[in-house]
Amino acid sequence: MIYGFGSYRLDTDRLELWQGEKAVAVEPQVFHLLQHLIENRERVVGKDELIEQVWGGRIVSDATLNSRINAARRAVGDSGKEQAVIRTAVRRGFRFVAEVCEADAESGIGGSSQRGTMKDAALHVMAETKSHGQTQNSEKPLSGKPSIAVLPFEDLSGASDFFSEGVAEDVVAALSKFRWFKVVSPRSSFRFRTHDHSDFGGVASDLQVRYLVDGSVRRSGERLRVVARLTDTQTAKTEWSDKFDLHQSDLFKIQDQLTRSIIAAVAPASLTAEMTRARRREGDDPEPWMAAMRAHSYLRRLTQADNARARAILMEALGENPEIAMLASDLAISNVYDVLFGWGRTREEAIEEAARFAHQAIQVDASDAMGHTALGFAAHINRDHDEAVDAFARALGLNENLAEAHGYLAMTLGFVGDLEKVMHHVDVAVQLSPYDPMLTFWYDAVAMAAYMAREFEAAADWASRSVSANPEYIGGFRVLAAACGQLKQLDLAREAVSKMCVLDPSLTCDATSRQLPFRHPADADLYTDGLRAAGLP
């Protein structure tokens, strides 16, 4: 359904808000809040009802609700002073008061709203929508978050479509949990069951998306071969493709396995493609999404200069767009990196800033899994293990396919020696993001868990993997030196200490004990015992 009001239109199938020729970037909660108010515009909608519909009944403060109402007003050119679109009914709730026309997105037939007969306006909305479909090579319709459609997988065996459509629906559901993308509803994308697989431009034009995920399923006896690919429709470039050979004995298990495999590839591949696009647009960038992508690309480099550059971009973008949770959560992660690598500012200052921005992200969008992940990471480096574990649990409850949440939770659990759980979460994180720049931390988490469990050989092995993943990260060398010190492999231990001191000449056992977030003093003592045996002063 498309709702038109003034110069705006809200497309509930594509989850998009437009003002004339310009896409308006809105958070999912703001979109659903607008949709619910429009669909119930004949009455005042109470606060409890909004919380139930938009937040799923979770506990939400008045400040959070008012923040989302203000963001909705800004998105449609309204304000709390004017209230020309969304009016506050004191102590009762809110009502959408602008005149609305309706149009069915699929049939293109305009209809009159119960608020008045506006057939001409509805037809105008549809005419605008069709005109957007003819501009697939223009950047304007694709500004803001990248949009993705998942098409039904083609069943090459000529059997029922239920499995191929089920796979596509699962992928849509999983991708929708990432705030990085706008994902087209299956109600729209499944219209293209019989599309020409070479006609990416036509499908992308109709759905107004940049990326398409499609594939095929072929059965041979009890075996299944599933082929999937991600295509950038503007360049016709295949960003990723792979095939999966599976057994048909448990279709539901297969769907879960396949969905995770596809998400593990599609999410990083499309995000990397977006960061590459953003890096080409240096200088001031008015689009908050593209600014976020430029900052994200610098964050992933894990150098002090790039981290500072990312933080500068994020601070400017957040100042202009305080309603975008991703900007705040990335700022929290940037400050966490300062603590982990010992970059520049004091540890206390960086921890305080990390926690502040993490809380801001969650206040803006309580259902943003990355915001809770940032909060967990900030709690971890502040030695608040219980709060960290709780925050990561909330993040994974919102998005079980978020590699960062699994990896950072493993880092927290590593300091208490819970080797089995650490291994589980690192395994999942690596499945979801096998080339992640944080691999060195995740391997270090396993090394630390093994060390705390007094399995020093395993600790040395995983520490070596951490060092191989990033020889500039001092943490891998620390665990390697400590483990080799405990094993009396003093030549290897001293070599690790030597490389540590090149990376940080001021490093000592006491400084390490103060810096790392050990839960118990005895754990810190065990660690520094190994480092002293390795020769660290």
Side-chain angles (χ1 to χ4, degrees):
M1 180 66 69
I2 297 175
Y3 296 101
F5 50 98
S7 61
Y8 293 87
R9 67 183 186 281
L10 188 94
D11 189 332
T12 60
D13 284 341
R14 295 173 183 167
L15 299 179
E16 294 175 346
L17 175 66
W18 292 82
Q19 182 185 22
E21 298 291 317
K22 181 181 179 182
V24 180
V26 291
E27 291 285 317
Q29 284 183 344
V30 173
F31 184 93
H32 292 305
L33 187 150
L34 277 170
Q35 179 180 349
H36 190 71
L37 288 176
I38 291 173
E39 291 176 346
N40 296 276
R41 59 192 176 276
E42 293 301 327
R43 62 184 177 86
V44 173
V45 179
K47 293 182 178 181
D48 291 343
E49 180 179 339
L50 282 175
I51 290 171
E52 178 63 36
Q53 293 297 320
V54 179
W55 282 271
R58 291 189 295 274
I59 298 175
V60 174
S61 68
D62 285 346
T64 298
L65 176 59
N66 290 333
S67 171
R68 311 316 286 153
I69 290 290
N70 290 336
R73 282 176 170 145
R74 286 194 299 271
V76 296
D78 196 15
S79 68
K81 181 178 180 180
E82 295 178 357
Q83 298 192 19
V85 179
I86 300 173
R87 183 174 299 163
T88 300
V90 180
R91 290 189 293 275
R92 292 181 58 199
F94 305 92
R95 184 178 176 187
F96 196 94
V97 294
E99 286 197 347
V100 177
C101 62
E102 299 178 1
D104 182 86
E106 294 192 2
S107 67
I109 299 174
S112 62
S113 161
Q114 293 179 356
R115 292 185 58 85
T117 57
M118 301 182 65
K119 182 176 180 180
D120 290 343
L123 292 174
H124 174 68
V125 169
M126 291 309 301
E128 278 192 341
T129 302
K130 290 179 180 178
S131 73
H132 283 300
Q134 297 167 359
T135 60
Q136 69 188 66
N137 293 322
S138 169
E139 279 294 310
K140 284 186 177 180
L142 296 172
S143 62
K145 293 183 180 180
S147 48
I148 296 181
V150 182
L151 306 182
F153 282 31
E154 184 181 8
D155 195 326
L156 300 178
S157 305
S160 170
D161 289 334
F162 82 93
F163 177 74
S164 56
E165 290 191 3
V167 170
E169 286 181 352
D170 284 352
V171 173
V172 169
L175 278 175
S176 297
K177 294 179 180 179
F178 290 91
R179 293 299 197 268
W180 306 330
F181 314 114
K182 291 186 292 187
V183 184
V184 173
S185 165
R187 292 194 301 270
S188 294
S189 61
F190 280 21
R191 294 169 58 198
F192 297 90
R193 287 181 178 84
T194 58
H195 74 286
D196 179 354
H197 285 254
S198 65
D199 183 22
F200 294 117
V203 176
S205 173
D206 286 343
L207 292 175
Q208 278 297 287
V209 296
R210 183 179 183 100
Y211 297 100
L212 284 177
V213 178
D214 72 339
S216 63
V217 179
R218 185 184 297 276
R219 305 165 192 263
S220 178
E222 294 297 310
R223 304 294 301 175
L224 288 173
R225 168 163 288 185
V226 179
V227 177
R229 63 180 171 177
L230 171 72
T231 303
D232 183 333
T233 62
Q234 284 200 329
T235 63
K237 177 184 177 183
T238 299
E239 296 287 351
W240 164 85
S241 65
D242 205 350
K243 64 178 182 293
F244 307 89
D245 291 313
L246 308 162
H247 198 272
Q248 194 172 313
S249 58
D250 188 344
L251 287 181
F252 291 111
K253 184 177 180 180
I254 288 173
Q255 283 187 217
D256 290 343
Q257 176 184 347
L258 182 60
T259 298
R260 173 163 285 178
S261 298
I262 293 174
I263 293 301
V266 168
S270 50
L271 186 62
T272 299
E274 285 297 303
M275 288 190 292
T276 300
R277 288 180 61 219
R279 285 292 304 279
R280 297 193 188 110
R281 297 172 56 173
E282 292 295 338
D284 294 336
D285 197 330
E287 292 290 347
W289 169 256
M290 294 304 288
M293 285 297 94
R294 281 199 297 124
H296 216 80
S297 71
Y298 291 123
L299 277 178
R300 292 169 68 94
R301 291 183 171 191
L302 296 180
T303 71
Q304 183 174 0
D306 286 315
N307 195 53
R309 192 171 185 179
R311 186 159 55 247
I313 295 170
L314 292 166
M315 287 292 291
E316 181 178 358
L318 184 64
E320 298 174 356
N321 304 274
E323 73 281 2
I324 299 180
M326 173 188 279
L327 299 173
S329 60
D330 275 355
L331 269 169
I333 295 298
S334 172
N335 281 279
V336 166
Y337 287 171
D338 278 352
V339 178
L340 289 176
F341 288 100
W343 288 333
R345 299 168 303 152
T346 67
R347 174 186 174 86
E348 291 73 22
E349 180 186 358
I351 290 175
E352 182 180 349
E353 289 287 280
R356 180 168 70 87
F357 286 118
H359 282 293
Q360 181 176 343
I362 294 172
Q363 184 177 20
V364 168
D365 187 354
S367 63
D368 182 6
M370 196 61 203
H372 290 282
T373 300
L375 182 61
F377 210 175
H380 162 66
I381 59 174
N382 201 30
R383 297 185 173 88
D384 192 343
H385 294 264
D386 292 338
E387 171 58 26
V389 171
D390 288 346
F392 292 133
R394 291 192 296 271
L396 292 172
L398 292 164
N399 185 356
E400 64 183 5
N401 294 309
L402 189 60
E404 291 93 331
H406 285 285
Y408 298 157
L409 174 55
M411 292 171 65
T412 298
L413 296 174
F415 279 89
V416 295
D418 196 337
L419 184 56
E420 183 177 352
K421 287 184 179 179
V422 169
M423 286 293 299
H424 166 73
H425 287 290
V426 168
D427 281 346
V428 174
V430 173
Q431 287 177 38
L432 291 169
S433 189
Y435 303 106
D436 201 287
M438 294 297 289
L439 281 176
T440 185
F441 290 92
W442 301 345
Y443 293 158
D444 185 42
V446 182
M448 180 62 77
Y451 188 95
M452 291 295 110
R454 291 172 168 74
E455 297 187 18
F456 300 123
E457 289 186 2
D461 177 57
W462 281 96
S464 296
R465 299 190 198 188
S466 175
V467 167
S468 296
N470 184 356
E472 300 300 314
Y473 174 51
I474 199 169
F477 288 112
R478 272 196 305 244
V479 184
L480 181 59
C484 290
Q486 294 284 5
L487 294 168
K488 309 302 182 187
Q489 298 175 357
L490 298 184
D491 288 343
L492 291 175
R494 289 169 185 147
E495 181 181 354
V497 168
S498 175
K499 292 180 178 178
M500 287 163 53
C501 291
V502 170
L503 294 171
D504 183 359
S506 65
L507 192 66
T508 64
C509 288
D510 289 343
T512 298
S513 181
R514 290 192 302 270
Q515 180 186 8
L516 297 183
F518 293 103
R519 187 168 192 176
H520 304 294
D523 294 334
D525 292 342
L526 176 67
Y527 195 57
T528 53
D529 285 347
L531 290 174
R532 287 193 178 92
L536 186 69

